[in-house]
Amino acid sequence: MCGIIGYIGTEEASPILCQGLKNLEYRGYDSVGMATVSGGLEIRKGVGKIDDLRCRLNFEEIPGHIGIGHTRWATHGTVSFENAHPHADCTKKIAIIHNGIIENSDRLREALLKRGHEFAGDTDSEVIAHLIEDRLNGFPGQRGAGDGEPGTGSFDNGFFETACLDAFRLLRGSYAILAIKEGEDKIVGIRKDSPLVLGLADHGTFFASDVSPFLEWTKKVVYLQNYDFVVADGKGVKFYNLLQGEVSRPVDTVEWSMEEASRGKFEHFMLKEISEQADTIQRALQQDGDVIERIVDEVKKGFGVFFVGCGSSYHACLTGTYLLSKVAGVHVNAVLASEFENYEHFLTEDTLVFAVSQSGETADVLDAVKAARRKKSKIIGITNVMGSSLSREGDELMMMNAGPEICVLSTKTYTSQAMLMALMAYALCDKHEECVQKAKDLYMDVYNLTSKSMRVRLKDLAKELVHKEHIYMIGRGLQYTTALEAALKIKEVSYIHTEAFAGGELKHGPLALVEKGTPVFVFVSRDNEDRIVANAQEVKARGGYVIGVSDWNHRVFDRWIKVPECGDLNPIIQAIPMQILAYELAVQRGLDPDKPRNLAKSVTVL
Ligand code: F6R
């Protein structure tokens, strides 16, 4: 959940690292730090965001052509100077940065303490620097503990690499690690279950958690695989795999542009990404016809189908279950990835598991994929990030094609996922073309919904709601899943407590929460209007303030958000004004919509 970057080349490293860390900030932003080698090793770090620390610590003035940088999302250890990365060994000659969780860190730390090592903080990561130091001092270490233990051969290209390799073999858990050392003109890296990508530019080599920090310099990338161990020096890059020995890795070209990954004229990435949806929804339809056909076949003959995801991706899964049931009469199960272990015993070789994840790196989703792999079930990955772990894990792959999503909240990728669900539902009953046409007809509607005039109207509504403590949302069928997604958007970015309920459930409990003036959003579609309007009446009768989201203004509404009626595609259309409202609420409450507190974009811990 942290962002890591490294650079070695002919340019000064620190300005590159600063810029890169800014692009990686969406992965974590409670503390930040950098280390460079220029003869000696220099580390600067602190609590805060990159923009605050950049000036305070003169980041850009640290000399050296070799450097590593880290932006943190705390897991082990509080947010403090000591726990910020990079971490050093006792001699302050080695610096490491790490993204992931070292599961056996307590045991390793204990052993290191017994041998006299001194630790500055409480993170699991700090053991890595001390383990490397230990290996350099010739200490063989305790074997048989780490994930990388069954390694073959050794890397006999120098003491530092060998020490790193030996140290990394002792780690258990998930990790993307970069290490540098005083007097060594190289960066050493490794990954397992946490992302690490290389960027190959004319003037040097980049390491990063994703491609966004180096898109300005190169589009040539190498996506590292689990247990890949890499050494980059002035002459090039060497690849080694802990389990396979020496390996070579192909060079790919990234399709995302620098412009897509920058904010442009928009105040925030969230607003930019919301306004891209007229295009991104269309791009979700650009799927390989053969792949769709194969998936349809598999679903038809599959013995059990699961849609698995977290957060907004889970809401897209749930939308998918309603769509496949309604449009194609096909039953599928939507399961929260973190709860999937409870369903594992249903998996067989004939089961299909759709793993849905924007980032393709969500640990809970990858864990579900592992479970499916163990049971030899078919896996279909749906992701937005080419090169992500999920993009390489599936038997089939559908890309969302939404371009980089930098804001921590999912907006455009949620609607792309919902579009893909609709596409599958229609393809299952041979109506693929009909779906494509419906989506094309949506273009202007989405364009209008993301226009300035819509934003002005929602800004107005936000002014009314900005000081509310609670907001509730109701819907039925596809409008229920939309309500769930809308509630998640508002709560995570504005911190206003927002909950969604199925309309029919109100009277079974939640109605007790409604009092005079309680705002309740009601999502309506033409095919269930009577029942949901009846639920809205129940709210109104208790003094609730009813805000309708529909294509007509019913007299039960106190406020009305006008959206076109789009039938099966309503979940896409109705989500958009809610994204804008969530954005406006955050801005009016003085919050940064791109970086809500306590959250990170890529949740790579279980
Ligand atoms: C909500 C949000 C999160 C993600 C969730 C899954 O706006 O962004 O709830 O949807 O963390 O992330 P991915 O899709 O990357 O697996």
Side-chain angles (χ1 to χ4, degrees):
M1 317 256 274
C2 307
I4 69 175
I5 177 165
Y7 172 78
I8 175 164
T10 53
E11 304 289 308
E12 277 297 314
S14 52
I16 291 178
L17 298 182
C18 275
Q19 184 54 41
L21 285 171
K22 184 80 200 126
N23 288 342
L24 285 173
E25 215 175 14
Y26 71 90
R27 303 179 65 90
Y29 30 85
D30 49 45
S31 43
V32 64
M34 281 170 39
T36 63
V37 169
S38 168
L41 175 77
E42 178 156 3
I43 298 180
R44 289 187 202 178
K45 61 184 184 179
V47 171
K49 294 182 180 169
I50 177 79
D51 282 342
D52 309 330
L53 294 169
R54 198 177 200 153
C55 303
R56 196 146 45 90
L57 300 178
N58 292 325
F59 270 159
E60 264 145 314
E61 288 172 12
I62 317 179
H65 297 266
I66 302 166
I68 55 179
H70 186 276
T71 175
R72 179 170 186 242
W73 186 88
T75 50
H76 281 54
T78 53
V79 178
S80 66
F81 169 83
E82 290 77 16
N83 290 338
H85 297 222
H87 293 294
D89 66 319
C90 298
T91 65
K92 308 277 179 276
K93 289 187 174 163
I94 300 163
I96 68 97
I97 51 176
H98 164 231
N99 171 31
I101 302 268
I102 304 301
E103 287 166 7
N104 56 343
S105 67
D106 285 350
R107 212 180 44 72
L108 292 169
R109 178 185 278 250
E110 228 171 86
L112 287 160
L113 283 169
K114 277 191 193 141
R115 289 202 294 283
H117 286 264
E118 284 178 11
F119 285 79
D122 316 312
T123 65
D124 54 333
S125 314
E126 199 180 339
V127 294
I128 303 165
H130 294 275
L131 281 176
I132 299 171
E133 180 190 5
D134 234 30
R135 298 299 158 286
L136 279 171
N137 290 338
F139 195 87
Q142 202 180 330
R143 291 290 181 160
D147 295 321
E149 193 55 29
T152 53
S154 73
F155 199 86
D156 58 359
N157 212 28
F159 291 125
F160 179 49
E161 291 94 302
T162 309
C164 289
L165 186 65
D166 285 348
F168 296 159
R169 280 192 203 284
L170 299 176
L171 305 176
R172 207 172 61 218
S174 60
Y175 41 85
I177 302 166
L178 298 182
I180 54 177
K181 181 179 174 292
E182 180 176 308
E184 297 277 352
D185 289 340
K186 58 190 65 144
I187 298 180
V188 179
I190 190 167
R191 77 150 282 189
K192 189 215 149 209
D193 293 340
S194 282
L196 189 61
V197 197
L198 292 191
L200 308 176
D202 293 339
H203 56 77
T205 304
F206 294 82
F207 292 76
S209 301
D210 68 41
V211 300
S212 64
F214 55 71
L215 275 181
E216 193 177 333
W217 288 279
T218 182
K219 290 194 165 189
K220 282 202 279 181
V221 295
V222 178
Y223 297 111
L224 297 181
Q225 299 188 11
N226 269 349
Y227 298 108
D228 274 358
F229 173 83
V230 183
V231 181
D233 58 19
K235 289 176 235 119
V237 188
K238 291 194 192 87
F239 298 93
Y240 182 86
N241 185 282
L242 259 62
L243 306 183
Q244 299 159 15
E246 259 174 62
V247 286
S248 63
R249 295 286 176 232
V251 178
D252 282 306
T253 306
V254 193
E255 284 174 15
W256 289 355
S257 68
M258 183 56 208
E259 198 194 4
E260 278 181 303
S262 39
R263 198 156 39 80
K265 63 181 183 350
F266 291 88
E267 278 160 72
H268 298 102
F269 278 107
M270 183 173 177
L271 195 56
K272 176 180 182 246
E273 288 156 8
I274 290 172
S275 20
E276 285 171 357
Q277 291 177 102
D279 292 320
T280 52
I281 290 165
Q282 303 301 321
R283 292 212 301 265
L285 296 165
Q286 292 167 7
Q287 300 297 326
D288 181 331
D290 293 341
V291 172
I292 298 285
E293 238 172 71
R294 285 201 298 271
I295 291 175
V296 162
D297 269 3
E298 294 289 348
V299 173
K300 281 182 179 161
K301 63 176 199 239
F303 184 71
V305 181
F306 290 92
F307 286 176
V308 182
C310 304
S312 294
S313 295
Y314 169 70
H315 294 153
C317 292
L318 211 53
T319 302
T321 64
Y322 280 88
L323 279 169
L324 265 70
S325 159
K326 183 168 180 249
V327 177
V330 171
H331 170 73
V332 296
N333 307 277
V335 183
L336 285 165
S338 53
E339 293 291 319
F340 192 64
E341 61 184 345
N342 301 297
Y343 295 80
E344 232 183 286
H345 57 279
F346 290 122
L347 299 178
T348 70
E349 287 183 17
D350 299 318
T351 312
L352 234 66
V353 177
F354 285 79
V356 184
S357 170
Q358 182 284 132
S359 60
E361 299 293 352
T362 298
D364 289 319
V365 176
L366 296 178
D367 209 42
V369 167
K370 269 189 207 157
R373 187 64 72 217
R374 277 196 300 274
K375 296 287 181 79
K376 299 191 170 60
S377 304
K378 267 241 154 58
I379 298 156
I380 291 143
I382 301 186
T383 186
N384 190 40
V385 182
M386 187 50 96
S388 62
S389 302
L390 182 58
S391 75
R392 293 189 300 241
E393 286 291 335
D395 299 300
E396 298 286 359
L397 176 66
M398 282 200 272
M399 294 298 297
M400 297 173 198
N401 302 325
E405 189 176 67
I406 310 287
C407 171
V408 165
L409 283 83
S410 301
T411 52
K412 60 177 178 173
T413 56
Y414 171 74
T415 50
S416 299
Q417 289 167 345
M419 189 69 247
L420 279 171
M421 294 296 171
L423 188 70
M424 276 192 284
Y426 275 75
L428 270 163
C429 47
D430 290 329
K431 290 188 191 159
H432 178 264
E433 288 311 317
E434 187 182 324
C435 183
V436 172
Q437 191 51 49
K438 274 180 192 274
K440 279 189 183 150
D441 296 343
L442 217 61
Y443 185 87
M444 278 319 291
D445 289 330
V446 177
Y447 186 82
N448 291 333
L449 282 174
T450 53
S451 69
K452 208 163 180 179
S453 60
M454 189 68 185
R455 212 185 130 194
V456 169
R457 265 176 276 154
L458 290 165
K459 197 182 235 166
D460 230 39
L461 176 59
K463 275 187 201 149
E464 267 188 60
L465 301 177
V466 70
H467 298 301
K468 294 284 180 193
E469 276 185 52
H470 311 282
I471 296 176
Y472 300 109
M473 317 216 141
I474 57 169
R476 284 171 172 265
L478 287 169
Q479 280 59 52
Y480 168 51
T481 65
T482 309
L484 287 170
E485 173 59 10
L488 177 61
K489 283 298 86 101
I490 292 180
K491 82 175 87 157
E492 69 181 320
V493 76
S494 72
Y495 316 154
I496 298 174
H497 170 237
T498 313
E499 270 331 301
F501 306 104
E505 278 296 293
L506 263 190
K507 55 188 176 298
H508 298 292
L511 204 53
L513 298 167
V514 176
E515 52 189 15
K516 194 168 181 321
T518 305
V520 180
F521 283 76
V522 182
F523 295 87
V524 188
S525 95
R526 286 286 178 186
D527 61 7
N528 64 20
E529 63 180 279
D530 293 346
R531 287 189 159 195
I532 194 69
V533 166
N535 297 139
Q537 299 282 13
E538 291 162 9
V539 169
K540 189 72 176 259
R542 273 89 189 163
Y545 184 69
V546 177
I547 304 158
V549 184
S550 68
D551 73 329
W552 89 108
N553 192 358
H554 195 281
R555 64 192 166 79
V556 72
F557 299 159
D558 295 297
R559 284 286 299 238
W560 177 43
I561 300 174
K562 186 175 183 206
V563 290
E565 168 64 41
C566 296
D568 299 330
L569 301 189
N570 273 344
I572 296 173
I573 282 294
Q574 295 188 345
I576 294 170
M578 294 297 106
Q579 298 169 347
I580 301 172
L581 179 66
Y583 172 80
E584 289 298 340
L585 284 168
V587 171
Q588 287 181 28
R589 287 167 74 99
L591 304 170
D592 179 351
D594 288 341
K595 301 184 194 77
R597 68 181 174 205
N598 306 338
L599 301 181
K601 181 92 185 143
S602 199
V603 188
T604 53
V605 289
L606 286 174

